[in-house]
Each structure stands twice: as C-alpha cells, then as structure tokens.
Amino acid sequence: MVIKPMIRSNICINAHPIGCAKDTERQIAYVRSQKAKRGTKNVKEGGNGPKTVLVLGCSTGYGLASRISAAFEYGADTIGVSFEKEPTVTKGGTPGWYNNMAFDKASNAEGLRTATFNADAFSDECRQTVIAKLKEWGAKADLVVYSLASPVRTDPDTKVMYKSVIKPIGSVYAGAALDMMSGKITQASTNPAEGDDIPNTVKVMGGEDWQRWMKMLLEAGVLAEGCRTVAYSYIGPSLSHAIYRDGTIGEAKKDLEKRAHEIDASLKSALNGGAFVSVNKGLVTRSSAVIPIISLYLGVLFKVMKAKGTHEGCIEQMERLFAERLYTGENSAAGKVPVDEENRIRIDDWELAADVQAEVDRIMPTVTEENVNETTDLAGLRHDFLNINGFDVEGVDYEKDVADMSKID
C-alpha cells in the first residue's frame, strides 16, 4: 500500500515504517559525525564515557536521541523501554516501534549489546525485567535516562489509573493557535484545571515513578559506582508559563525537580553518583499543535534561531547534553556538571538567550495569516510535525508501495 499521512484534529495518526527508520538512521549519522568532529573515543577505543545505559521512554524524541548518543558516540550497551503498538503485515504500528527496530538493527551491526522492551515502564514487572537483563549481562548501569511522557499511569501499589492533562491553573488560558499544516491562525482557549486534575497530572508526569525506578535499581545492586540519572523538563518563555510552567504540567515538573534532589542525595550517599533534571529546548510534539500560543511561538522561535545558526532538534540537543554537560571529564569521563541554582542542567540556554527572546517578542504580534510564511518557520514546523511519524523524510519514496507494514526495509 502507498502510505500517506492521516491527520485528525492536528494529530498525525499513522506512521511510515521506512520513513521512521530512515530518520533514526539520520540521527545516528549525525552523532557519528559529531564523534569524529569532537574526537570522542568510545568504550572500545579506550574512552571513559558511559558503558551501560538504561533509557526509559526510548522510542521517540529526547529519549531516542539520548539512546543514540550513548550508543553511537560513546559505544555504550543500552537497554530501552517503551510502550508501542506492534504492526502486522497489513496494519501499521506506532512510530516508536519502527524507531526501535532501526536502532536495534544499527546497534547489532556495530557490535553493541541492545535490549528493547515493549512494556509498561510504570509497572514493577517491567522494572524486574530490566533488572534481570542487567544481571544476565553481568553489567551495572552507569547512566539512567528518564524520558517518559504518557497521558496515563497506573499506580503499581493501588492499581488505580491516573490521567494527566495540560491545563492552566485558576483561569482560562487563551491565545492565537497556528495550524502547522494549513498556516491558519485561530483563537483558542483552554479551561483551567478542576477537581483532581493537578494531583493526577503530578501522579503521572511528576517524579514519583522516576524515584521508584532508581530505588529498585539501587536495591537490586545493578547501578554502577558513580551512576548518574537525568530526567527531562521544559520551562520556556514567560508567555507560555500560564499553560506550562505555572499550569498542571508545570506542577508535575516541579515535583520532578523536588524528587531529583532526593534521588541525588541517595545516589551520592550510596555510589558517589548524582541526579539531574535537564531543562531542554521547545520542540514540535504531538501536543504542540493544539495548545494555544505554543505552535505560533515555536514557529517564530525556529525562524529566529535558524537565522542565528543556533536551532537544534532532539538529536542536536542530546548530543550536546552528553558532550558538553554530562561527560566533560578527561577522555569523556563523567566530569563536573554545570547547573543552575536549582541544580538543573540548562540546555535551553540558546532558546532563552536574551537576544533570541527579544526578537521573538518583537515578531510575535506582527504575525498574520497573510505573512505567516515570512514571519515564522511554517515549513520547518510542518516538516517536524510530519517527521515525528516518518513522513517528509529525505530519501524516502512516498509513492512506493509498502508491502509489509511490519518491516523497515
């Protein structure tokens, strides 16, 4: 069958197997080029970087980029966990399924150990499976990446399912919304949190599950001396704070940061390790297109940052996080991590640079449907939106028949 993007309510609901695999290969090629450029030595070459890395939420976005960076710049063996829909010959799977297939294929070709589990990362059963694999390998994780983003989580103790929401707190949040596909600009609004929206969102997207992972891994004896763990967050500009940093998701991220301090103290005491929250750059996600202001902001931001030569996607961000924040010691050892006053890594530094934000603030009020192609990077937004699901990937023939939806070649 010939596969075209199916878009419903600003969400792409299908994926292209070949496109997903090709984009994963593109990210791997980028990391390999950065390795050569930086002169990084991998484990087999005598490098001191990470050797065994666990990535929770490994299949897309920052999680996939983290796993690629660990494996193909530093030569780490990796374990990944994600929850994906498996394809059949005639029915497609989720993008992450194909990304994982491509990653495993490339890792095997490189001679790296890889284990990818399609499982509920919030469950204790999944934790025990990962622990068993590390013991089977005779390895201890020296880096744990926590990059889970899910709308729901079932508490492993009570078996109660909680649902997260993206809502402001206290009042309606309204603003212009840019449709990435059509370029139309509409006024959109989001009602404030009500009932248990806040605690439920914290339960799903906060740090409770991350802390449970680290506690169980530590007690099982599968964390290496000096082990580090990092979870991902976003702060963004002041114009988005009401819907994000000061909204329900923001409350969850504040909980994540609070628990990071507790995990950090635990790892320091037990293994001379550490825990960090990395605040990353704003990027196109499945939810970006439907949150007021966010898509418009990203369109202007991308335009400004590309003009300045500082724009980054997921893979550029994560490669820089590893090389310039986490592994800055001699021969890529785990050196001193530069952090802000809250012990957070700020890899959003280029986004929130004063000159970038001043230019964004100047342009935002001037954007109209008539000038949207000139004032925003609409083409870039559209590319990223499609790219998440394997479309608009360079080198893919989208007119070619895909005979088997379960394969990536």
PDB file of all heavy atoms in Angstrom, residues 151-155 158 160-164 199-201 203-204:
ATOM      1  N   PRO A 151       0.020  10.000  28.819  1.00  0.00           N
ATOM      2  CA  PRO A 151      -1.206  10.625  29.329  1.00  0.00           C
ATOM      3  C   PRO A 151      -1.782   9.894  30.538  1.00  0.00           C
ATOM      4  O   PRO A 151      -2.593  10.454  31.257  1.00  0.00           O
ATOM      5  CB  PRO A 151      -2.170  10.545  28.148  1.00  0.00           C
ATOM      6  CG  PRO A 151      -1.700   9.348  27.374  1.00  0.00           C
ATOM      7  CD  PRO A 151      -0.210   9.326  27.524  1.00  0.00           C
ATOM      8  N   VAL A 152      -1.356   8.642  30.762  1.00  0.00           N
ATOM      9  CA  VAL A 152      -1.911   7.862  31.878  1.00  0.00           C
ATOM     10  C   VAL A 152      -0.816   7.073  32.575  1.00  0.00           C
ATOM     11  O   VAL A 152       0.212   6.744  31.986  1.00  0.00           O
ATOM     12  CB  VAL A 152      -3.011   6.881  31.408  1.00  0.00           C
ATOM     13  CG1 VAL A 152      -4.205   7.622  30.843  1.00  0.00           C
ATOM     14  CG2 VAL A 152      -2.456   5.894  30.393  1.00  0.00           C
ATOM     15  N   ARG A 153      -1.065   6.772  33.851  1.00  0.00           N
ATOM     16  CA  ARG A 153      -0.163   5.921  34.627  1.00  0.00           C
ATOM     17  C   ARG A 153      -0.978   5.152  35.649  1.00  0.00           C
ATOM     18  O   ARG A 153      -1.839   5.717  36.329  1.00  0.00           O
ATOM     19  CB  ARG A 153       0.899   6.753  35.352  1.00  0.00           C
ATOM     20  CG  ARG A 153       1.753   5.945  36.337  1.00  0.00           C
ATOM     21  CD  ARG A 153       2.789   6.806  37.057  1.00  0.00           C
ATOM     22  NE  ARG A 153       3.461   6.020  38.082  1.00  0.00           N
ATOM     23  CZ  ARG A 153       3.536   6.341  39.375  1.00  0.00           C
ATOM     24  NH1 ARG A 153       2.979   7.473  39.801  1.00  0.00           N
ATOM     25  NH2 ARG A 153       4.145   5.567  40.235  1.00  0.00           N
ATOM     26  N   THR A 154      -0.709   3.853  35.746  1.00  0.00           N
ATOM     27  CA  THR A 154      -1.347   3.035  36.765  1.00  0.00           C
ATOM     28  C   THR A 154      -0.406   2.878  37.939  1.00  0.00           C
ATOM     29  O   THR A 154       0.738   2.442  37.780  1.00  0.00           O
ATOM     30  CB  THR A 154      -1.712   1.642  36.211  1.00  0.00           C
ATOM     31  OG1 THR A 154      -2.650   1.807  35.137  1.00  0.00           O
ATOM     32  CG2 THR A 154      -2.336   0.771  37.285  1.00  0.00           C
ATOM     33  N   ASP A 155      -0.863   3.260  39.125  1.00  0.00           N
ATOM     34  CA  ASP A 155      -0.043   3.149  40.332  1.00  0.00           C
ATOM     35  C   ASP A 155       0.233   1.670  40.602  1.00  0.00           C
ATOM     36  O   ASP A 155      -0.705   0.857  40.691  1.00  0.00           O
ATOM     37  CB  ASP A 155      -0.783   3.769  41.520  1.00  0.00           C
ATOM     38  CG  ASP A 155       0.078   3.815  42.766  1.00  0.00           C
ATOM     39  OD1 ASP A 155       0.350   2.739  43.328  1.00  0.00           O
ATOM     40  OD2 ASP A 155       0.466   4.905  43.194  1.00  0.00           O
ATOM     41  N   THR A 158      -1.588   0.578  44.157  1.00  0.00           N
ATOM     42  CA  THR A 158      -3.057   0.600  44.291  1.00  0.00           C
ATOM     43  C   THR A 158      -3.784   0.100  43.043  1.00  0.00           C
ATOM     44  O   THR A 158      -4.978  -0.185  43.110  1.00  0.00           O
ATOM     45  CB  THR A 158      -3.535   2.027  44.584  1.00  0.00           C
ATOM     46  OG1 THR A 158      -3.253   2.856  43.435  1.00  0.00           O
ATOM     47  CG2 THR A 158      -2.826   2.604  45.806  1.00  0.00           C
ATOM     48  N   VAL A 160      -4.658   1.877  40.674  1.00  0.00           N
ATOM     49  CA  VAL A 160      -5.529   2.963  40.210  1.00  0.00           C
ATOM     50  C   VAL A 160      -4.854   3.660  39.026  1.00  0.00           C
ATOM     51  O   VAL A 160      -3.660   3.952  39.069  1.00  0.00           O
ATOM     52  CB  VAL A 160      -5.798   3.982  41.333  1.00  0.00           C
ATOM     53  CG1 VAL A 160      -6.573   5.190  40.792  1.00  0.00           C
ATOM     54  CG2 VAL A 160      -6.559   3.322  42.465  1.00  0.00           C
ATOM     55  N   MET A 161      -5.631   3.918  37.964  1.00  0.00           N
ATOM     56  CA  MET A 161      -5.096   4.611  36.800  1.00  0.00           C
ATOM     57  C   MET A 161      -5.340   6.111  36.922  1.00  0.00           C
ATOM     58  O   MET A 161      -6.450   6.555  37.225  1.00  0.00           O
ATOM     59  CB  MET A 161      -5.721   4.100  35.508  1.00  0.00           C
ATOM     60  CG  MET A 161      -5.212   4.829  34.261  1.00  0.00           C
ATOM     61  SD  MET A 161      -5.982   4.274  32.717  1.00  0.00           S
ATOM     62  CE  MET A 161      -5.106   2.717  32.487  1.00  0.00           C
ATOM     63  N   TYR A 162      -4.300   6.896  36.688  1.00  0.00           N
ATOM     64  CA  TYR A 162      -4.380   8.354  36.747  1.00  0.00           C
ATOM     65  C   TYR A 162      -4.154   8.929  35.356  1.00  0.00           C
ATOM     66  O   TYR A 162      -3.402   8.375  34.549  1.00  0.00           O
ATOM     67  CB  TYR A 162      -3.334   8.908  37.715  1.00  0.00           C
ATOM     68  CG  TYR A 162      -3.552   8.482  39.141  1.00  0.00           C
ATOM     69  CD1 TYR A 162      -2.998   7.298  39.621  1.00  0.00           C
ATOM     70  CD2 TYR A 162      -4.324   9.249  40.008  1.00  0.00           C
ATOM     71  CE1 TYR A 162      -3.204   6.890  40.938  1.00  0.00           C
ATOM     72  CE2 TYR A 162      -4.537   8.855  41.323  1.00  0.00           C
ATOM     73  CZ  TYR A 162      -3.971   7.675  41.780  1.00  0.00           C
ATOM     74  OH  TYR A 162      -4.179   7.273  43.075  1.00  0.00           O
ATOM     75  N   LYS A 163      -4.800  10.057  35.080  1.00  0.00           N
ATOM     76  CA  LYS A 163      -4.708  10.701  33.779  1.00  0.00           C
ATOM     77  C   LYS A 163      -4.157  12.116  33.921  1.00  0.00           C
ATOM     78  O   LYS A 163      -4.585  12.867  34.797  1.00  0.00           O
ATOM     79  CB  LYS A 163      -6.093  10.747  33.115  1.00  0.00           C
ATOM     80  CG  LYS A 163      -6.092  11.358  31.722  1.00  0.00           C
ATOM     81  CD  LYS A 163      -7.497  11.352  31.117  1.00  0.00           C
ATOM     82  CE  LYS A 163      -7.499  11.961  29.726  1.00  0.00           C
ATOM     83  NZ  LYS A 163      -8.860  11.987  29.139  1.00  0.00           N
ATOM     84  N   SER A 164      -3.207  12.465  33.058  1.00  0.00           N
ATOM     85  CA  SER A 164      -2.635  13.807  33.093  1.00  0.00           C
ATOM     86  C   SER A 164      -3.344  14.718  32.092  1.00  0.00           C
ATOM     87  O   SER A 164      -3.901  14.244  31.095  1.00  0.00           O
ATOM     88  CB  SER A 164      -1.140  13.764  32.775  1.00  0.00           C
ATOM     89  OG  SER A 164      -0.922  13.360  31.435  1.00  0.00           O
ATOM     90  N   PRO A 199      -3.350  17.013  41.077  1.00  0.00           N
ATOM     91  CA  PRO A 199      -2.668  15.846  41.668  1.00  0.00           C
ATOM     92  C   PRO A 199      -2.563  14.664  40.714  1.00  0.00           C
ATOM     93  O   PRO A 199      -1.579  13.922  40.750  1.00  0.00           O
ATOM     94  CB  PRO A 199      -3.518  15.512  42.890  1.00  0.00           C
ATOM     95  CG  PRO A 199      -4.841  16.155  42.655  1.00  0.00           C
ATOM     96  CD  PRO A 199      -4.541  17.381  41.863  1.00  0.00           C
ATOM     97  N   ASN A 200      -3.555  14.478  39.853  1.00  0.00           N
ATOM     98  CA  ASN A 200      -3.490  13.377  38.896  1.00  0.00           C
ATOM     99  C   ASN A 200      -2.356  13.578  37.890  1.00  0.00           C
ATOM    100  O   ASN A 200      -1.644  12.632  37.535  1.00  0.00           O
ATOM    101  CB  ASN A 200      -4.811  13.230  38.154  1.00  0.00           C
ATOM    102  CG  ASN A 200      -5.913  12.650  39.020  1.00  0.00           C
ATOM    103  OD1 ASN A 200      -5.682  12.280  40.163  1.00  0.00           O
ATOM    104  ND2 ASN A 200      -7.116  12.571  38.484  1.00  0.00           N
ATOM    105  N   THR A 201      -2.194  14.819  37.434  1.00  0.00           N
ATOM    106  CA  THR A 201      -1.114  15.112  36.492  1.00  0.00           C
ATOM    107  C   THR A 201       0.248  14.943  37.148  1.00  0.00           C
ATOM    108  O   THR A 201       1.186  14.419  36.540  1.00  0.00           O
ATOM    109  CB  THR A 201      -1.266  16.535  35.923  1.00  0.00           C
ATOM    110  OG1 THR A 201      -2.542  16.651  35.267  1.00  0.00           O
ATOM    111  CG2 THR A 201      -0.167  16.854  34.923  1.00  0.00           C
ATOM    112  N   LYS A 203       0.844  12.906  39.545  1.00  0.00           N
ATOM    113  CA  LYS A 203       0.996  11.456  39.721  1.00  0.00           C
ATOM    114  C   LYS A 203       1.555  10.809  38.445  1.00  0.00           C
ATOM    115  O   LYS A 203       2.366   9.885  38.513  1.00  0.00           O
ATOM    116  CB  LYS A 203      -0.370  10.848  40.058  1.00  0.00           C
ATOM    117  CG  LYS A 203      -0.313   9.404  40.526  1.00  0.00           C
ATOM    118  CD  LYS A 203       0.107   9.287  41.968  1.00  0.00           C
ATOM    119  CE  LYS A 203      -0.013   7.860  42.481  1.00  0.00           C
ATOM    120  NZ  LYS A 203       0.457   7.717  43.875  1.00  0.00           N
ATOM    121  N   VAL A 204       1.129  11.305  37.292  1.00  0.00           N
ATOM    122  CA  VAL A 204       1.565  10.719  36.023  1.00  0.00           C
ATOM    123  C   VAL A 204       2.913  11.278  35.575  1.00  0.00           C
ATOM    124  O   VAL A 204       3.827  10.529  35.201  1.00  0.00           O
ATOM    125  CB  VAL A 204       0.515  10.968  34.913  1.00  0.00           C
ATOM    126  CG1 VAL A 204       0.998  10.410  33.575  1.00  0.00           C
ATOM    127  CG2 VAL A 204      -0.822  10.356  35.288  1.00  0.00           C
TER     128      VAL A 204
END
